[in-house]
């Protein structure tokens, strides 16, 4: 975690060239330079993507892919406007931006993430940010779904990469495979299932494959499409 010494060092070197800072690592023997460079780099990303979090010096940032895939403050705030109820389960975890913003709209919130390090980072950040109590779970989302009690809203973001890390464009290639999980998802969601996808998803194919899609929401920021939200409800 970030010590006071590391926080101060990050503040003092926030605007420096990171390549040169890495080369000068020997000048700072007591500093975990790899961690510092990651924090400075990701805070710069957050200043554009999640400015509210970037303003907090205690936030701990994860590896690149988690920052690349996480929702922005703008898109997370949009979801706050139409998601509310008693209970909410985020089965895709990630950096926790959506979960953190949506949490205030629910009495009981669960976050599930299979990566242990990322889970601990999010647990720490939620505490730092004073997010309403969230049950943070390190585990497999499908296993958790199978044994969890029903909730009002289930939220997930199927990974759009195959086993080799290549990007895919069909819903059946995303993981977890929500097509095969559809019945279980609808059984566990009293109100709705909200699935976030990249704008690169083949939407026509997805609508053919997924049952009970009641809405498609195209989320744009400054006239640029950022997310596709597919909403499943048993009663249409």
């Amino acid at each position: 975690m970030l010590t006071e010494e590391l926080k101060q060092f990050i503040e003092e070197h926030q605007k420096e060239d990171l390549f040169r800072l890495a080369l000068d690592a020997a000048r700072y023997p007591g500093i975990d330079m790899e961690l510092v460079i990651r924090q400075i780099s990701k805070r710069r990303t957050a200043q554009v993507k999640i400015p509210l979090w970037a303003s907090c010096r205690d936030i701990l940032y994860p590896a690149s892919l988690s920052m690349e895939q996480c929702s922005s403050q703008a898109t997370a705030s949009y979801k706050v406007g139409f998601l509310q109820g008693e209970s909410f389960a985020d089965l895709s975890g990630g950096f926790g931006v959506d979960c953190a913003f949506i949490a205030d709209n629910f009495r009981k919130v669960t976050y599930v993430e299979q990566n242990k390090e990322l889970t601990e980072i999010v647990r720490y950040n939620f505490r730092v940010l004073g997010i309403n109590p969230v049950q943070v779970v390190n585990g497999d989302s499908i296993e958790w779904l199978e044994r969890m009690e029903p909730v009002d809203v289930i939220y997930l973001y199927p990974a759009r990469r195959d086993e080799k890390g290549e990007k895919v464009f069909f819903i059946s290639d995303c993981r977890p495979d929500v097509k095969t999980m559809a019945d279980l998802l609808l059984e566990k969601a009293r109100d709705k299932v909200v699935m976030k996808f990249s704008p690169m998803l083949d939407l026509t194919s997805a609508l053919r494959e997924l049952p009970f899609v009641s809405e498609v929401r195209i989320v744009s920021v400054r006239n640029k499409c950022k997310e596709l939200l597919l909403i499943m409800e048993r009663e249409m």
Side-chain angles (χ1 to χ4, degrees), residues 92 156-160 171 174-178 195-197:
S92 299
L156 68 163
Y157 177 23
R160 197 171 62 88
I171 202 166
C174 296
R175 293 293 177 268
D177 183 355
V178 291
M195 294 167 289
K196 168 186 162 182
F197 292 98

Side-chain angles (χ1 to χ4, degrees), residues 6-15 43 57:
L6 285 175
K7 293 175 194 176
Q8 185 63 35
F9 188 90
I10 289 169
E11 291 291 330
E12 292 173 354
H13 296 83
Q14 183 63 40
K15 296 183 179 180
R43 185 188 286 188
R57 68 193 295 265

Side-chain angles (χ1 to χ4, degrees), residues 38-58:
R38 186 176 84 181
Q39 295 308 302
I40 293 175
S41 172
K42 301 315 171 192
R43 185 188 286 188
R44 290 175 183 175
T45 300
Q47 285 171 344
V48 176
K49 198 169 187 179
I50 328 163
L52 185 63
W53 289 20
S55 65
C56 177
R57 68 193 295 265
D58 294 326

Side-chain angles (χ1 to χ4, degrees), residues 216-232:
V216 175
R217 295 192 178 216
I218 301 172
V219 184
S220 297
V221 178
R222 297 177 183 174
N223 293 321
K224 185 174 182 180
C225 185
K226 293 294 188 180
E227 299 175 0
L228 292 178
L229 301 179
L230 272 59
I231 300 172
M232 290 197 307

